[in-house]
């Protein structure tokens, strides 16, 4: 299935924002690991991304229906975002300097995974 320019632009913009604000994103992601397991000091920290990601669910629902995706659009949005965060914060640790793909390849692969990786309509079985 062909990737739409809009999908690629969305992924490109998301990665660019995460990369540009890498320090802030890292602080938000890792802050929950320290000193506030009951969310009393920073009660909203656990849901900082929830509202933003919730706003992307309708678009993912439309894509899911059009492409016959199996599963929950709300989960797909969060998996895609998690992959983007991982590549932004830890991409340099996932590849060696000699085998790290260029930016355009990473962008193409994440876009393709987002659009096609959830594409099987078959349920998984053990």
């Amino acid at each position: 299935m062909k990737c739409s320019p809009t999908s690629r632009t969305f992924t490109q913009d998301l990665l660019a924002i995460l990369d540009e604000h890498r320090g802030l994103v890292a602080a938000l992601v890792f802050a929950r690991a320290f000193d506030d397991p009951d969310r009393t000091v920073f009660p909203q920290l656990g849901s900082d991304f929830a509202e933003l990601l919730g706003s992307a669910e309708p678009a993912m629902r439309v894509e899911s229906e059009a492409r016959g995706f199996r599963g929950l659009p709300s989960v797909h949005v969060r998996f895609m975002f998690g992959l983007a965060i991982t590549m932004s914060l830890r991409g340099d640790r996932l590849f060696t300097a000699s085998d790290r793909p260029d930016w355009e390849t990473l962008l193409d692969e994440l876009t393709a995974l987002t659009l096609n990786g959830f594409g099987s309509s078959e349920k998984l079985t053990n």
Side-chain angles (χ1 to χ4, degrees):
M1 190 170 288
K2 188 160 175 62
C3 168
S4 73
T6 303
S7 299
R8 191 172 192 283
T9 299
F10 172 80
T11 305
Q12 180 178 1
D13 291 348
L14 175 62
L15 287 174
I17 288 168
L18 290 172
D19 195 51
E20 181 181 344
H21 301 287
R22 189 177 186 183
L24 178 59
V25 173
L28 286 170
V29 170
F30 298 121
R32 284 196 58 200
F34 302 101
D35 299 327
D36 192 24
D38 298 324
R39 294 186 194 167
T40 55
V41 178
F42 302 106
Q44 194 168 337
L45 191 57
S47 60
D48 282 338
F49 297 120
E51 191 173 319
L52 172 68
L53 295 174
S55 70
E57 287 178 34
M60 183 56 93
R61 190 170 291 106
V62 168
E63 288 296 323
S64 293
E65 290 171 7
R67 296 169 185 274
F69 288 180
R70 170 197 72 71
L72 302 171
S74 61
V75 174
H76 297 165
V77 165
R78 283 151 178 89
F79 281 177
M80 186 272 301
F81 190 70
L83 288 169
I85 285 177
T86 299
M87 287 309 301
S88 174
L89 297 179
R90 294 293 185 208
D92 55 335
R93 295 187 183 252
L94 297 175
F95 299 98
T96 64
S98 63
D99 72 351
R100 182 179 170 96
D102 62 61
W103 174 258
E104 292 297 315
T105 300
L106 289 173
L107 176 59
D108 288 342
E109 291 296 321
L110 181 57
T111 303
L113 180 63
T114 300
L115 295 176
N116 303 319
F118 304 113
S120 174
S121 61
E122 296 179 31
K123 291 236 180 217
L124 298 178
T125 59
N126 292 332

